[in-house]
Amino acid sequence: MIGGQCIYSDGQIFAILDRDGTLFLKAKGDFAATLDSVGSRQFGSEDGGRMGYWTMPPDELDDPEAATNWAQRALANL
């Protein structure tokens, strides 16, 4: 990933941090739908391509306990 950072657990990427400092969680299925329903946005490229990563819910990013919960859900979704 150019200009960003991949975050791994046990050799699998479960989150990415883009060059602007936005944290995206890997999500599919029901977990992706949940993130969408709470206002997260999907990672996309300038050419319109989409990837299976969604922003950490904005209201939860500054709450360590809530952010940890979302990260654990992303790990469980792998």
Side-chain angles (χ1 to χ4, degrees), residues 6-73:
C6 295
I7 303 170
Y8 293 82
S9 176
D10 292 327
Q12 293 190 27
I13 299 171
F14 76 96
I16 54 177
L17 186 65
D18 75 4
R19 65 177 167 218
D20 297 323
T22 303
L23 181 62
F24 292 85
L25 301 172
K26 189 171 188 174
K28 60 186 176 197
D30 290 341
F31 184 49
T34 297
L35 287 167
D36 186 35
S37 74
V38 296
S40 296
R41 64 180 172 79
Q42 190 173 16
F43 181 89
S45 61
E46 293 178 8
D47 65 0
R50 297 279 176 232
M51 294 177 62
Y53 291 88
W54 292 76
T55 55
M56 173 80 71
D59 296 337
E60 312 261 332
L61 192 54
D62 292 328
D63 179 340
E65 188 173 320
T68 298
N69 181 45
W70 285 105
Q72 288 171 335
R73 290 175 74 180

